[in-house]
Amino acid sequence: MSKTRDYKYVPLPKSFYEVTPVQLARKLIGTLLIRIIDNKPLVARIVEVEAYGGRDDPASHAYRGMTGRNKVMFNSGGCSYVYFTYGMHYCFNVVAGKGKQAGAVLIRAAEPLEGIDQMKKHRNKEKLHDLLSGPAKLCQAFLIDKSLNGITLDKPPLLITKESIRKSAPEIITTPRIGIKAGLNKKWRFIDAESTFLSARRSPDI
DNA sequence: TGTGTGATAGTCT
DNA sequence: GACTATCACACAT
């Protein structure tokens, strides 16, 4: 079956990513993450992200300068940063900024739209809310691993586009980031207020 | 229904 | 050699 989907793979321009991580995080809410596997798309709508800065952000991998692992964060915006954590999980970030400023946006959760059966298979779970409700889950469902580290997000196998049909801009809430110890004073986590596909267990206090 | 704890391996000092 | 992050499961209420 080679039926063409309605999703047009119009990548976001590079200038979209050449902003600060905080600005990019807000813009990414509601965009579509598309992963092409065997010519079949997995599509999800991004509903939860976190911004990470550079040397000025103690929660960021780039806080202590460039290392072998985080050097992708120092690229200009529009490419991926995939890192391995907990000895068993991957996390997917979108690199922000231009020139040498380090920064990235961690994709924490998304809403499954297309290829749901494939995602269930990859995750070995049936419930929709268990598929993409966490950074490591999202990578497992989308088959994102280190081989995708550093690639640009403007073409297959991994890209980000705008949602074609949108009634109105999503209401966006900001909260402190999750799973870190430093930098808790910054409210750099951005979520779609209407979404039920978030990674946080409790509804956030505003 | 909600909370607590154990498991894991790559990266940096 | 120490640290780091998340998921999944078990348990108690």
Side-chain angles (χ1 to χ4, degrees):
Chain A
M1 213 164 82
S2 59
K3 181 176 179 292
T4 313
R5 299 285 182 178
D6 288 338
Y7 297 105
K8 291 174 189 143
Y9 303 141
V10 181
L12 295 165
K14 192 164 169 51
S15 58
F16 181 89
Y17 302 98
E18 291 179 335
V19 295
T20 67
V22 172
Q23 291 171 323
L24 179 60
R26 185 176 287 275
K27 288 163 75 175
L28 280 175
I29 295 289
T31 58
L32 300 182
L33 179 65
I34 301 179
R35 168 84 160 108
I36 310 291
I37 300 170
D38 295 333
N39 289 320
K40 280 182 287 191
L42 303 179
V43 183
R45 183 170 164 274
I46 296 171
V47 297
E48 177 176 348
V49 300
E50 286 177 7
Y52 286 91
R55 291 177 113 58
D56 53 341
D57 180 6
S60 169
H61 286 175
Y63 180 54
R64 281 183 261 199
M66 183 159 51
T67 67
R69 174 171 71 158
N70 69 18
K71 61 184 175 193
V72 179
M73 287 183 77
F74 291 80
N75 289 356
S76 57
C79 59
S80 72
Y81 170 45
V82 180
Y83 64 86
F84 190 70
T85 186
Y86 281 105
M88 55 181 118
H89 297 303
Y90 291 101
C91 293
F92 169 62
N93 299 254
V94 178
V95 175
K98 58 180 166 185
K100 288 175 288 188
Q101 1 170 325
V105 177
L106 171 68
I107 310 299
R108 290 196 60 89
E111 173 183 348
L113 296 178
E114 281 282 329
I116 291 172
D117 287 343
Q118 282 298 309
M119 296 183 202
K120 285 180 180 174
K121 220 161 122 189
H122 298 154
R123 291 272 303 127
N124 200 24
K125 298 279 178 188
E126 276 305 310
K127 279 192 291 185
L128 266 190
H129 287 74
D130 277 342
L131 295 180
L132 305 175
S133 57
K137 298 179 187 178
L138 187 142
C139 286
Q140 192 183 6
F142 271 57
L143 298 184
I144 293 173
D145 62 23
K146 267 191 117 166
S147 69
L148 297 180
N149 187 35
I151 66 170
T152 58
L153 299 171
D154 56 358
K155 57 183 179 298
L158 192 61
L159 58 155
I160 294 177
T161 77
K162 272 188 187 162
E163 191 170 22
S164 47
I165 305 165
R166 164 153 293 293
K167 305 157 207 156
S168 59
E171 188 188 344
I172 294 174
I173 293 174
T174 64
T175 79
R177 289 171 290 183
I178 291 178
I180 54 172
K181 291 166 186 158
L184 290 173
N185 54 325
K186 293 184 170 71
K187 287 186 144 188
W188 280 9
R189 174 169 170 257
F190 296 82
I191 60 181
D192 179 347
E194 299 163 14
S195 178
T196 60
F197 292 90
L198 306 174
S199 71
R201 303 150 219 249
R202 282 178 298 210
S203 57
D205 303 326
I206 320 296

